[in-house]
Amino acid sequence: MGSFEIGRRRVPVSLLAAPATGLAVTVEELIGAPGLRPAGKRGPAPKLQQQLERISQLPKAKQKMVSEVLDSLLAQAGR
């Protein structure tokens, strides 16, 4: 096990931005810290946000399918 994994060495925060960007996550998500919420917001994330996070974890093909269904529903609702 390396020094970073067992906490003997610290990783500078400035080095975490690039891998987080490459993985399409925030630095907080990368290190396992809870995301920062805007001032005044309390409680769990809204249901829609939770659903979007779950969708983002699906394989790309399933994400595309969900997107197509949403597009169709939104088009119908806009009539």
Side-chain angles (χ1 to χ4, degrees):
M1 203 172 246
S3 308
F4 292 112
E5 292 90 351
I6 59 174
R8 286 191 197 147
R9 287 189 68 193
R10 296 189 183 265
V11 177
V13 174
S14 61
L15 293 179
L16 297 176
T21 300
L23 295 169
V25 298
T26 65
V27 172
E28 290 82 6
E29 291 170 316
L30 183 67
I31 63 173
L36 301 175
R37 292 193 170 277
K41 293 276 184 170
R42 295 176 190 247
K47 184 174 181 177
L48 181 58
Q49 182 180 351
Q50 292 174 0
Q51 291 170 329
L52 291 173
E53 289 170 4
R54 289 180 62 198
I55 291 167
S56 72
Q57 295 171 357
L58 294 172
K60 294 293 181 191
K62 290 193 178 198
Q63 288 181 23
K64 183 178 180 184
M65 182 181 67
V66 171
S67 178
E68 290 170 355
V69 169
L70 288 173
D71 286 341
S72 175
L73 291 170
L74 292 171
Q76 290 176 2
R79 291 183 189 170

Short mmCIF file of all heavy atoms in Angstrom, two decimals:
data_model
loop_
_atom_site.label_atom_id
_atom_site.label_comp_id
_atom_site.label_asym_id
_atom_site.label_seq_id
_atom_site.Cartn_x
_atom_site.Cartn_y
_atom_site.Cartn_z
N MET A 1 0.85 -1.17 0.00
CA MET A 1 0.00 0.00 0.00
C MET A 1 0.90 1.24 0.00
O MET A 1 1.89 1.30 0.70
CB MET A 1 -0.90 -0.04 1.22
CG MET A 1 -2.15 0.76 1.06
SD MET A 1 -3.28 0.50 2.44
CE MET A 1 -4.58 -0.29 1.56
N GLY A 2 0.51 2.26 -0.78
CA GLY A 2 1.33 3.46 -0.89
C GLY A 2 1.08 4.45 0.23
O GLY A 2 0.14 4.33 1.01
N SER A 3 1.94 5.46 0.29
CA SER A 3 1.85 6.48 1.33
C SER A 3 0.54 7.27 1.27
O SER A 3 0.02 7.68 2.29
CB SER A 3 3.00 7.48 1.18
OG SER A 3 4.23 6.82 1.13
N PHE A 4 0.03 7.47 0.05
CA PHE A 4 -1.21 8.23 -0.08
C PHE A 4 -2.39 7.45 0.50
O PHE A 4 -3.23 7.99 1.18
CB PHE A 4 -1.50 8.56 -1.55
CG PHE A 4 -0.53 9.53 -2.15
CD1 PHE A 4 0.36 9.13 -3.13
CD2 PHE A 4 -0.49 10.84 -1.73
CE1 PHE A 4 1.24 10.01 -3.69
CE2 PHE A 4 0.40 11.75 -2.28
CZ PHE A 4 1.27 11.33 -3.26
N GLU A 5 -2.44 6.16 0.19
CA GLU A 5 -3.58 5.34 0.62
C GLU A 5 -3.69 5.22 2.14
O GLU A 5 -4.78 5.10 2.67
CB GLU A 5 -3.51 3.93 0.02
CG GLU A 5 -3.72 3.88 -1.47
CD GLU A 5 -2.43 4.01 -2.26
OE1 GLU A 5 -1.37 4.30 -1.68
OE2 GLU A 5 -2.47 3.82 -3.47
N ILE A 6 -2.57 5.19 2.83
CA ILE A 6 -2.63 5.02 4.28
C ILE A 6 -2.52 6.34 5.04
O ILE A 6 -2.47 6.36 6.25
CB ILE A 6 -1.56 4.02 4.77
CG1 ILE A 6 -0.15 4.47 4.39
CG2 ILE A 6 -1.85 2.64 4.23
CD1 ILE A 6 0.96 3.59 4.96
N GLY A 7 -2.49 7.45 4.30
CA GLY A 7 -2.55 8.76 4.93
C GLY A 7 -1.23 9.34 5.40
O GLY A 7 -1.22 10.33 6.12
N ARG A 8 -0.11 8.76 5.00
CA ARG A 8 1.18 9.33 5.39
C ARG A 8 1.54 10.56 4.56
O ARG A 8 2.23 11.43 5.04
CB ARG A 8 2.30 8.30 5.25
CG ARG A 8 2.25 7.26 6.32
CD ARG A 8 3.50 6.43 6.31
NE ARG A 8 3.27 5.20 7.05
CZ ARG A 8 3.82 4.04 6.77
NH1 ARG A 8 4.66 3.93 5.77
NH2 ARG A 8 3.53 2.99 7.49
N ARG A 9 1.11 10.57 3.31
CA ARG A 9 1.35 11.73 2.45
C ARG A 9 0.00 12.29 2.01
O ARG A 9 -0.95 11.56 1.78
CB ARG A 9 2.13 11.31 1.20
CG ARG A 9 3.57 11.00 1.52
CD ARG A 9 4.38 10.81 0.27
NE ARG A 9 4.50 12.08 -0.45
CZ ARG A 9 4.94 12.15 -1.69
NH1 ARG A 9 5.27 11.08 -2.36
NH2 ARG A 9 5.05 13.32 -2.29
N ARG A 10 -0.04 13.57 1.90
CA ARG A 10 -1.27 14.23 1.46
C ARG A 10 -1.13 14.63 0.00
O ARG A 10 -0.06 15.00 -0.45
CB ARG A 10 -1.55 15.45 2.31
CG ARG A 10 -1.80 15.09 3.76
CD ARG A 10 -2.29 16.31 4.52
NE ARG A 10 -2.47 16.00 5.91
CZ ARG A 10 -3.63 15.64 6.44
NH1 ARG A 10 -4.69 15.54 5.70
NH2 ARG A 10 -3.72 15.38 7.72
N VAL A 11 -2.23 14.57 -0.72
CA VAL A 11 -2.26 14.98 -2.12
C VAL A 11 -2.70 16.44 -2.15
O VAL A 11 -3.75 16.77 -1.59
CB VAL A 11 -3.26 14.12 -2.92
CG1 VAL A 11 -3.35 14.60 -4.35
CG2 VAL A 11 -2.89 12.66 -2.85
N PRO A 12 -1.92 17.32 -2.79
CA PRO A 12 -2.36 18.71 -2.89
C PRO A 12 -3.68 18.79 -3.68
O PRO A 12 -3.85 18.09 -4.68
CB PRO A 12 -1.24 19.40 -3.67
CG PRO A 12 -0.06 18.48 -3.57
CD PRO A 12 -0.62 17.11 -3.39
N VAL A 13 -4.59 19.60 -3.20
CA VAL A 13 -5.90 19.74 -3.85
C VAL A 13 -5.74 20.16 -5.30
O VAL A 13 -6.49 19.72 -6.17
CB VAL A 13 -6.77 20.76 -3.08
CG1 VAL A 13 -8.06 21.03 -3.82
CG2 VAL A 13 -7.06 20.24 -1.69
N SER A 14 -4.72 20.95 -5.60
CA SER A 14 -4.51 21.41 -6.98
C SER A 14 -4.28 20.24 -7.94
O SER A 14 -4.56 20.35 -9.13
CB SER A 14 -3.33 22.38 -7.04
OG SER A 14 -2.15 21.73 -6.59
N LEU A 15 -3.81 19.11 -7.45
CA LEU A 15 -3.58 17.95 -8.31
C LEU A 15 -4.84 17.13 -8.54
O LEU A 15 -4.86 16.25 -9.40
CB LEU A 15 -2.50 17.04 -7.70
CG LEU A 15 -1.09 17.61 -7.63
CD1 LEU A 15 -0.15 16.59 -6.99
CD2 LEU A 15 -0.58 17.98 -9.01
N LEU A 16 -5.89 17.39 -7.79
CA LEU A 16 -7.11 16.60 -7.91
C LEU A 16 -8.06 17.10 -8.99
O LEU A 16 -8.92 16.36 -9.44
CB LEU A 16 -7.84 16.56 -6.56
CG LEU A 16 -7.08 15.89 -5.42
CD1 LEU A 16 -7.87 16.00 -4.13
CD2 LEU A 16 -6.76 14.45 -5.75
N ALA A 17 -7.90 18.34 -9.41
CA ALA A 17 -8.81 18.91 -10.40
C ALA A 17 -8.76 18.17 -11.72
O ALA A 17 -9.80 17.86 -12.31
CB ALA A 17 -8.53 20.40 -10.60
N ALA A 18 -7.57 17.85 -12.21
CA ALA A 18 -7.45 17.19 -13.51
C ALA A 18 -8.09 15.80 -13.51
O ALA A 18 -8.89 15.49 -14.41
CB ALA A 18 -5.98 17.12 -13.93
N PRO A 19 -7.78 14.93 -12.54
CA PRO A 19 -8.45 13.62 -12.56
C PRO A 19 -9.96 13.73 -12.37
O PRO A 19 -10.73 12.98 -12.98
CB PRO A 19 -7.83 12.84 -11.41
CG PRO A 19 -6.75 13.66 -10.84
CD PRO A 19 -6.77 14.98 -11.50
N ALA A 20 -10.41 14.68 -11.56
CA ALA A 20 -11.85 14.85 -11.36
C ALA A 20 -12.51 15.25 -12.67
O ALA A 20 -13.56 14.71 -13.04
CB ALA A 20 -12.12 15.89 -10.27
N THR A 21 -11.88 16.18 -13.39
CA THR A 21 -12.43 16.61 -14.68
C THR A 21 -12.45 15.44 -15.66
O THR A 21 -13.43 15.24 -16.36
CB THR A 21 -11.59 17.77 -15.25
OG1 THR A 21 -11.64 18.85 -14.32
CG2 THR A 21 -12.12 18.23 -16.59
N GLY A 22 -11.37 14.68 -15.70
CA GLY A 22 -11.31 13.53 -16.59
C GLY A 22 -12.36 12.49 -16.30
O GLY A 22 -12.84 11.81 -17.21
N LEU A 23 -12.74 12.36 -15.06
CA LEU A 23 -13.77 11.39 -14.66
C LEU A 23 -15.17 12.01 -14.64
O LEU A 23 -16.13 11.34 -14.29
CB LEU A 23 -13.44 10.83 -13.28
CG LEU A 23 -12.16 9.99 -13.21
CD1 LEU A 23 -11.78 9.72 -11.76
CD2 LEU A 23 -12.34 8.69 -13.97
N ALA A 24 -15.26 13.29 -14.97
CA ALA A 24 -16.54 14.01 -15.00
C ALA A 24 -17.23 14.00 -13.63
O ALA A 24 -18.43 13.77 -13.52
CB ALA A 24 -17.46 13.48 -16.08
N VAL A 25 -16.44 14.21 -12.58
CA VAL A 25 -16.98 14.32 -11.22
C VAL A 25 -16.37 15.55 -10.56
O VAL A 25 -15.41 16.12 -11.06
CB VAL A 25 -16.67 13.07 -10.36
CG1 VAL A 25 -17.31 11.83 -10.96
CG2 VAL A 25 -15.18 12.86 -10.20
N THR A 26 -16.92 15.96 -9.44
CA THR A 26 -16.34 17.05 -8.69
C THR A 26 -15.19 16.51 -7.84
O THR A 26 -15.10 15.30 -7.61
CB THR A 26 -17.37 17.71 -7.75
OG1 THR A 26 -17.75 16.75 -6.76
CG2 THR A 26 -18.58 18.22 -8.51
N VAL A 27 -14.33 17.40 -7.37
CA VAL A 27 -13.24 16.99 -6.48
C VAL A 27 -13.83 16.35 -5.24
O VAL A 27 -13.32 15.35 -4.74
CB VAL A 27 -12.32 18.18 -6.14
CG1 VAL A 27 -11.32 17.80 -5.06
CG2 VAL A 27 -11.60 18.68 -7.38
N GLU A 28 -14.94 16.90 -4.73
CA GLU A 28 -15.58 16.35 -3.54
C GLU A 28 -16.01 14.91 -3.78
O GLU A 28 -15.84 14.04 -2.93
CB GLU A 28 -16.77 17.20 -3.11
CG GLU A 28 -16.41 18.55 -2.55
CD GLU A 28 -16.15 19.60 -3.63
OE1 GLU A 28 -16.37 19.33 -4.84
OE2 GLU A 28 -15.72 20.70 -3.27
N GLU A 29 -16.60 14.65 -4.96
CA GLU A 29 -17.03 13.28 -5.28
C GLU A 29 -15.81 12.36 -5.42
O GLU A 29 -15.86 11.21 -5.00
CB GLU A 29 -17.84 13.27 -6.57
CG GLU A 29 -19.20 13.93 -6.45
CD GLU A 29 -19.88 14.12 -7.79
OE1 GLU A 29 -19.23 14.54 -8.76
OE2 GLU A 29 -21.08 13.82 -7.85
N LEU A 30 -14.75 12.88 -6.00
CA LEU A 30 -13.54 12.09 -6.20
C LEU A 30 -12.96 11.60 -4.87
O LEU A 30 -12.55 10.46 -4.75
CB LEU A 30 -12.49 12.92 -6.96
CG LEU A 30 -11.19 12.22 -7.30
CD1 LEU A 30 -11.43 11.10 -8.31
CD2 LEU A 30 -10.18 13.21 -7.86
N ILE A 31 -12.97 12.47 -3.87
CA ILE A 31 -12.38 12.08 -2.58
C ILE A 31 -13.41 11.50 -1.62
O ILE A 31 -13.08 11.12 -0.51
CB ILE A 31 -11.65 13.27 -1.91
CG1 ILE A 31 -12.61 14.42 -1.60
CG2 ILE A 31 -10.49 13.73 -2.77
CD1 ILE A 31 -12.00 15.53 -0.79
N GLY A 32 -14.67 11.43 -2.06
CA GLY A 32 -15.69 10.82 -1.23
C GLY A 32 -16.31 11.75 -0.21
O GLY A 32 -17.00 11.31 0.69
N ALA A 33 -16.06 13.05 -0.36
CA ALA A 33 -16.66 14.03 0.55
C ALA A 33 -18.03 14.41 0.02
O ALA A 33 -18.25 14.44 -1.18
CB ALA A 33 -15.78 15.27 0.66
N PRO A 34 -18.97 14.70 0.90
CA PRO A 34 -20.28 15.14 0.42
C PRO A 34 -20.16 16.45 -0.33
O PRO A 34 -19.30 17.27 -0.02
CB PRO A 34 -21.10 15.31 1.71
CG PRO A 34 -20.11 15.38 2.81
CD PRO A 34 -18.86 14.70 2.35
N GLY A 35 -20.99 16.62 -1.35
CA GLY A 35 -20.97 17.84 -2.14
C GLY A 35 -21.38 19.05 -1.33
O GLY A 35 -22.09 18.94 -0.35
N LEU A 36 -20.91 20.19 -1.77
CA LEU A 36 -21.27 21.43 -1.08
C LEU A 36 -22.64 21.87 -1.57
O LEU A 36 -22.95 21.81 -2.74
CB LEU A 36 -20.23 22.51 -1.39
CG LEU A 36 -18.81 22.17 -0.97
CD1 LEU A 36 -17.86 23.26 -1.44
CD2 LEU A 36 -18.71 22.01 0.53
N ARG A 37 -23.45 22.32 -0.65
CA ARG A 37 -24.79 22.79 -1.00
C ARG A 37 -24.82 24.31 -0.88
O ARG A 37 -24.16 24.88 -0.04
CB ARG A 37 -25.83 22.21 -0.04
CG ARG A 37 -26.01 20.73 -0.18
CD ARG A 37 -27.28 20.36 0.59
NE ARG A 37 -27.64 19.01 0.31
CZ ARG A 37 -28.34 18.63 -0.76
NH1 ARG A 37 -28.73 19.51 -1.62
NH2 ARG A 37 -28.63 17.38 -0.95
N PRO A 38 -25.65 24.94 -1.70
CA PRO A 38 -25.80 26.38 -1.58
C PRO A 38 -26.33 26.74 -0.19
O PRO A 38 -27.02 25.95 0.44
CB PRO A 38 -26.84 26.74 -2.64
CG PRO A 38 -26.87 25.58 -3.58
CD PRO A 38 -26.43 24.38 -2.80
N ALA A 39 -25.99 27.93 0.27
CA ALA A 39 -26.44 28.39 1.58
C ALA A 39 -27.96 28.33 1.67
O ALA A 39 -28.65 28.67 0.72
CB ALA A 39 -25.95 29.82 1.83
N GLY A 40 -28.46 27.89 2.80
CA GLY A 40 -29.90 27.84 3.00
C GLY A 40 -30.53 26.52 2.58
O GLY A 40 -31.67 26.26 2.89
N LYS A 41 -29.82 25.70 1.86
CA LYS A 41 -30.37 24.41 1.43
C LYS A 41 -30.06 23.37 2.50
O LYS A 41 -28.95 23.24 2.96
CB LYS A 41 -29.75 23.96 0.10
CG LYS A 41 -30.12 24.82 -1.07
CD LYS A 41 -31.44 24.38 -1.60
CE LYS A 41 -31.79 25.17 -2.85
NZ LYS A 41 -32.93 24.64 -3.51
N ARG A 42 -31.06 22.62 2.89
CA ARG A 42 -30.88 21.57 3.89
C ARG A 42 -31.58 20.31 3.43
O ARG A 42 -32.41 20.34 2.54
CB ARG A 42 -31.46 22.01 5.23
CG ARG A 42 -30.74 23.19 5.82
CD ARG A 42 -31.44 23.63 7.10
NE ARG A 42 -30.91 24.89 7.54
CZ ARG A 42 -30.20 25.03 8.64
NH1 ARG A 42 -29.96 24.02 9.40
NH2 ARG A 42 -29.75 26.21 8.98
N GLY A 43 -31.23 19.21 4.06
CA GLY A 43 -31.91 17.97 3.76
C GLY A 43 -31.33 17.27 2.55
O GLY A 43 -30.34 17.70 1.97
N PRO A 44 -31.97 16.18 2.16
CA PRO A 44 -31.46 15.37 1.05
C PRO A 44 -31.62 16.11 -0.28
O PRO A 44 -32.39 17.06 -0.40
CB PRO A 44 -32.34 14.12 1.09
CG PRO A 44 -33.58 14.55 1.78
CD PRO A 44 -33.17 15.63 2.74
N ALA A 45 -30.87 15.63 -1.26
CA ALA A 45 -30.96 16.22 -2.60
C ALA A 45 -32.37 16.00 -3.14
O ALA A 45 -33.02 15.01 -2.81
CB ALA A 45 -29.94 15.56 -3.51
N PRO A 46 -32.85 16.93 -3.96
CA PRO A 46 -34.17 16.75 -4.55
C PRO A 46 -34.23 15.45 -5.35
O PRO A 46 -33.22 14.96 -5.85
CB PRO A 46 -34.32 17.96 -5.48
CG PRO A 46 -33.33 18.95 -5.01
CD PRO A 46 -32.22 18.17 -4.37
N LYS A 47 -35.43 14.89 -5.44
CA LYS A 47 -35.61 13.60 -6.11
C LYS A 47 -35.08 13.63 -7.54
O LYS A 47 -34.41 12.69 -7.97
CB LYS A 47 -37.09 13.20 -6.10
CG LYS A 47 -37.32 11.83 -6.69
CD LYS A 47 -38.77 11.41 -6.53
CE LYS A 47 -38.95 10.02 -7.10
NZ LYS A 47 -40.31 9.54 -6.90
N LEU A 48 -35.32 14.71 -8.27
CA LEU A 48 -34.85 14.80 -9.65
C LEU A 48 -33.32 14.75 -9.71
O LEU A 48 -32.74 14.06 -10.55
CB LEU A 48 -35.36 16.09 -10.32
CG LEU A 48 -34.96 16.28 -11.78
CD1 LEU A 48 -35.44 15.11 -12.64
CD2 LEU A 48 -35.53 17.59 -12.31
N GLN A 49 -32.66 15.43 -8.79
CA GLN A 49 -31.20 15.41 -8.75
C GLN A 49 -30.70 13.99 -8.45
O GLN A 49 -29.75 13.52 -9.05
CB GLN A 49 -30.68 16.39 -7.70
CG GLN A 49 -29.15 16.43 -7.65
CD GLN A 49 -28.65 17.42 -6.61
OE1 GLN A 49 -29.41 18.19 -6.05
NE2 GLN A 49 -27.36 17.39 -6.38
N GLN A 50 -31.36 13.31 -7.53
CA GLN A 50 -30.97 11.93 -7.21
C GLN A 50 -31.14 11.04 -8.43
O GLN A 50 -30.29 10.19 -8.72
CB GLN A 50 -31.81 11.40 -6.05
CG GLN A 50 -31.52 12.07 -4.72
CD GLN A 50 -32.47 11.62 -3.63
OE1 GLN A 50 -33.37 10.79 -3.85
NE2 GLN A 50 -32.30 12.16 -2.44
N GLN A 51 -32.23 11.23 -9.17
CA GLN A 51 -32.47 10.43 -10.37
C GLN A 51 -31.40 10.71 -11.42
O GLN A 51 -30.91 9.78 -12.06
CB GLN A 51 -33.87 10.71 -10.92
CG GLN A 51 -34.97 10.18 -10.04
CD GLN A 51 -36.34 10.68 -10.45
OE1 GLN A 51 -36.50 11.78 -10.98
NE2 GLN A 51 -37.35 9.85 -10.20
N LEU A 52 -31.05 11.98 -11.61
CA LEU A 52 -30.02 12.33 -12.59
C LEU A 52 -28.68 11.71 -12.23
O LEU A 52 -27.94 11.24 -13.10
CB LEU A 52 -29.90 13.85 -12.72
CG LEU A 52 -31.08 14.55 -13.37
CD1 LEU A 52 -30.93 16.06 -13.28
CD2 LEU A 52 -31.24 14.11 -14.82
N GLU A 53 -28.36 11.69 -10.95
CA GLU A 53 -27.11 11.07 -10.51
C GLU A 53 -27.13 9.57 -10.79
O GLU A 53 -26.13 9.01 -11.24
CB GLU A 53 -26.88 11.35 -9.03
CG GLU A 53 -26.53 12.80 -8.76
CD GLU A 53 -26.52 13.16 -7.28
OE1 GLU A 53 -26.72 12.28 -6.42
OE2 GLU A 53 -26.30 14.35 -6.99
N ARG A 54 -28.26 8.93 -10.56
CA ARG A 54 -28.36 7.50 -10.85
C ARG A 54 -28.26 7.23 -12.35
O ARG A 54 -27.62 6.27 -12.77
CB ARG A 54 -29.66 6.94 -10.30
CG ARG A 54 -29.67 6.88 -8.76
CD ARG A 54 -30.94 6.34 -8.19
NE ARG A 54 -31.17 4.97 -8.63
CZ ARG A 54 -32.34 4.37 -8.57
NH1 ARG A 54 -33.39 5.00 -8.10
NH2 ARG A 54 -32.48 3.12 -8.99
N ILE A 55 -28.90 8.08 -13.15
CA ILE A 55 -28.83 7.92 -14.61
C ILE A 55 -27.40 8.08 -15.09
O ILE A 55 -26.93 7.34 -15.96
CB ILE A 55 -29.77 8.92 -15.31
CG1 ILE A 55 -31.23 8.55 -15.03
CG2 ILE A 55 -29.50 8.97 -16.81
CD1 ILE A 55 -32.23 9.62 -15.40
N SER A 56 -26.66 9.02 -14.50
CA SER A 56 -25.28 9.26 -14.94
C SER A 56 -24.37 8.06 -14.66
O SER A 56 -23.31 7.93 -15.25
CB SER A 56 -24.71 10.51 -14.28
OG SER A 56 -24.45 10.28 -12.92
N GLN A 57 -24.81 7.16 -13.79
CA GLN A 57 -24.02 5.98 -13.47
C GLN A 57 -24.34 4.79 -14.39
O GLN A 57 -23.66 3.78 -14.36
CB GLN A 57 -24.23 5.59 -12.01
CG GLN A 57 -23.72 6.64 -11.05
CD GLN A 57 -24.12 6.37 -9.62
OE1 GLN A 57 -24.83 5.43 -9.32
NE2 GLN A 57 -23.65 7.21 -8.72
N LEU A 58 -25.37 4.94 -15.21
CA LEU A 58 -25.75 3.87 -16.13
C LEU A 58 -24.77 3.82 -17.31
O LEU A 58 -24.12 4.81 -17.62
CB LEU A 58 -27.16 4.12 -16.68
CG LEU A 58 -28.32 4.06 -15.71
CD1 LEU A 58 -29.61 4.52 -16.40
CD2 LEU A 58 -28.49 2.66 -15.16
N PRO A 59 -24.70 2.68 -18.00
CA PRO A 59 -23.91 2.61 -19.23
C PRO A 59 -24.45 3.61 -20.26
O PRO A 59 -25.65 3.96 -20.23
CB PRO A 59 -24.11 1.17 -19.72
CG PRO A 59 -24.60 0.41 -18.52
CD PRO A 59 -25.31 1.40 -17.65
N LYS A 60 -23.59 4.08 -21.15
CA LYS A 60 -23.97 5.11 -22.14
C LYS A 60 -25.21 4.72 -22.94
O LYS A 60 -26.07 5.56 -23.21
CB LYS A 60 -22.80 5.41 -23.08
CG LYS A 60 -21.62 6.04 -22.40
CD LYS A 60 -21.95 7.43 -21.90
CE LYS A 60 -20.72 8.04 -21.23
NZ LYS A 60 -21.03 9.25 -20.52
N ALA A 61 -25.33 3.47 -23.33
CA ALA A 61 -26.49 3.04 -24.13
C ALA A 61 -27.79 3.23 -23.36
O ALA A 61 -28.79 3.69 -23.91
CB ALA A 61 -26.33 1.58 -24.56
N LYS A 62 -27.77 2.91 -22.07
CA LYS A 62 -28.98 3.09 -21.26
C LYS A 62 -29.24 4.57 -20.99
O LYS A 62 -30.39 5.00 -20.93
CB LYS A 62 -28.87 2.30 -19.96
CG LYS A 62 -28.96 0.82 -20.20
CD LYS A 62 -29.18 0.03 -18.94
CE LYS A 62 -29.30 -1.44 -19.32
NZ LYS A 62 -29.90 -2.24 -18.31
N GLN A 63 -28.18 5.37 -20.84
CA GLN A 63 -28.35 6.81 -20.68
C GLN A 63 -29.05 7.38 -21.91
O GLN A 63 -29.95 8.21 -21.80
CB GLN A 63 -27.01 7.51 -20.49
CG GLN A 63 -26.37 7.27 -19.15
CD GLN A 63 -25.05 8.02 -19.02
OE1 GLN A 63 -24.80 9.01 -19.70
NE2 GLN A 63 -24.19 7.55 -18.14
N LYS A 64 -28.63 6.92 -23.09
CA LYS A 64 -29.23 7.40 -24.34
C LYS A 64 -30.71 7.04 -24.39
O LYS A 64 -31.55 7.86 -24.78
CB LYS A 64 -28.49 6.83 -25.54
CG LYS A 64 -29.00 7.35 -26.86
CD LYS A 64 -28.21 6.81 -28.03
CE LYS A 64 -28.79 7.37 -29.32
NZ LYS A 64 -28.14 6.83 -30.49
N MET A 65 -31.04 5.81 -23.98
CA MET A 65 -32.43 5.37 -23.98
C MET A 65 -33.28 6.25 -23.05
O MET A 65 -34.37 6.69 -23.42
CB MET A 65 -32.52 3.90 -23.55
CG MET A 65 -33.93 3.34 -23.58
SD MET A 65 -34.02 1.62 -23.04
CE MET A 65 -33.59 1.78 -21.32
N VAL A 66 -32.78 6.52 -21.86
CA VAL A 66 -33.50 7.37 -20.91
C VAL A 66 -33.69 8.77 -21.51
O VAL A 66 -34.76 9.36 -21.43
CB VAL A 66 -32.76 7.44 -19.55
CG1 VAL A 66 -33.37 8.49 -18.65
CG2 VAL A 66 -32.78 6.08 -18.88
N SER A 67 -32.64 9.28 -22.14
CA SER A 67 -32.71 10.61 -22.75
C SER A 67 -33.77 10.67 -23.84
O SER A 67 -34.52 11.64 -23.94
CB SER A 67 -31.33 10.98 -23.31
OG SER A 67 -31.38 12.23 -23.93
N GLU A 68 -33.84 9.62 -24.67
CA GLU A 68 -34.83 9.58 -25.73
C GLU A 68 -36.25 9.55 -25.17
O GLU A 68 -37.15 10.21 -25.69
CB GLU A 68 -34.57 8.39 -26.65
CG GLU A 68 -33.32 8.56 -27.49
CD GLU A 68 -32.91 7.29 -28.22
OE1 GLU A 68 -33.53 6.23 -28.02
OE2 GLU A 68 -31.93 7.37 -28.99
N VAL A 69 -36.46 8.78 -24.11
CA VAL A 69 -37.78 8.72 -23.48
C VAL A 69 -38.16 10.09 -22.92
O VAL A 69 -39.27 10.57 -23.11
CB VAL A 69 -37.82 7.63 -22.37
CG1 VAL A 69 -39.10 7.74 -21.55
CG2 VAL A 69 -37.68 6.25 -22.98
N LEU A 70 -37.20 10.74 -22.24
CA LEU A 70 -37.47 12.07 -21.69
C LEU A 70 -37.78 13.08 -22.78
O LEU A 70 -38.71 13.88 -22.66
CB LEU A 70 -36.29 12.55 -20.84
CG LEU A 70 -36.10 11.86 -19.49
CD1 LEU A 70 -34.81 12.31 -18.84
CD2 LEU A 70 -37.28 12.13 -18.60
N ASP A 71 -37.00 13.05 -23.86
CA ASP A 71 -37.25 13.94 -25.00
C ASP A 71 -38.66 13.76 -25.53
O ASP A 71 -39.37 14.73 -25.80
CB ASP A 71 -36.23 13.71 -26.12
CG ASP A 71 -34.86 14.27 -25.80
OD1 ASP A 71 -34.74 15.13 -24.91
OD2 ASP A 71 -33.89 13.83 -26.47
N SER A 72 -39.08 12.51 -25.66
CA SER A 72 -40.41 12.21 -26.17
C SER A 72 -41.50 12.73 -25.23
O SER A 72 -42.46 13.37 -25.67
CB SER A 72 -40.56 10.70 -26.34
OG SER A 72 -41.87 10.38 -26.73
N LEU A 73 -41.33 12.49 -23.94
CA LEU A 73 -42.32 12.95 -22.96
C LEU A 73 -42.39 14.48 -22.93
O LEU A 73 -43.47 15.06 -22.84
CB LEU A 73 -42.02 12.40 -21.58
CG LEU A 73 -42.22 10.90 -21.41
CD1 LEU A 73 -41.65 10.44 -20.07
CD2 LEU A 73 -43.69 10.57 -21.50
N LEU A 74 -41.23 15.13 -22.97
CA LEU A 74 -41.21 16.60 -22.95
C LEU A 74 -41.82 17.19 -24.21
O LEU A 74 -42.50 18.21 -24.15
CB LEU A 74 -39.77 17.10 -22.75
CG LEU A 74 -39.17 16.81 -21.38
CD1 LEU A 74 -37.69 17.15 -21.36
CD2 LEU A 74 -39.91 17.58 -20.30
N ALA A 75 -41.61 16.55 -25.35
CA ALA A 75 -42.22 17.01 -26.60
C ALA A 75 -43.73 16.92 -26.52
O ALA A 75 -44.45 17.83 -26.95
CB ALA A 75 -41.69 16.21 -27.78
N GLN A 76 -44.24 15.83 -25.95
CA GLN A 76 -45.69 15.66 -25.79
C GLN A 76 -46.26 16.67 -24.82
O GLN A 76 -47.35 17.19 -25.01
CB GLN A 76 -46.01 14.25 -25.33
CG GLN A 76 -45.78 13.18 -26.35
CD GLN A 76 -46.03 11.78 -25.81
OE1 GLN A 76 -46.42 11.60 -24.65
NE2 GLN A 76 -45.79 10.78 -26.63
N ALA A 77 -45.52 16.97 -23.76
CA ALA A 77 -46.02 17.91 -22.75
C ALA A 77 -46.02 19.33 -23.29
O ALA A 77 -46.82 20.15 -22.82
CB ALA A 77 -45.12 17.83 -21.50
N GLY A 78 -45.16 19.62 -24.25
CA GLY A 78 -45.07 20.97 -24.79
C GLY A 78 -46.12 21.29 -25.84
O GLY A 78 -46.22 22.40 -26.32
N ARG A 79 -46.96 20.33 -26.19
CA ARG A 79 -47.98 20.57 -27.22
C ARG A 79 -49.09 21.43 -26.73
O ARG A 79 -49.52 21.51 -25.67
CB ARG A 79 -48.56 19.24 -27.70
CG ARG A 79 -47.56 18.43 -28.48
CD ARG A 79 -48.22 17.18 -28.98
NE ARG A 79 -47.20 16.31 -29.55
CZ ARG A 79 -47.42 15.07 -29.89
NH1 ARG A 79 -48.60 14.55 -29.73
NH2 ARG A 79 -46.48 14.35 -30.41
#
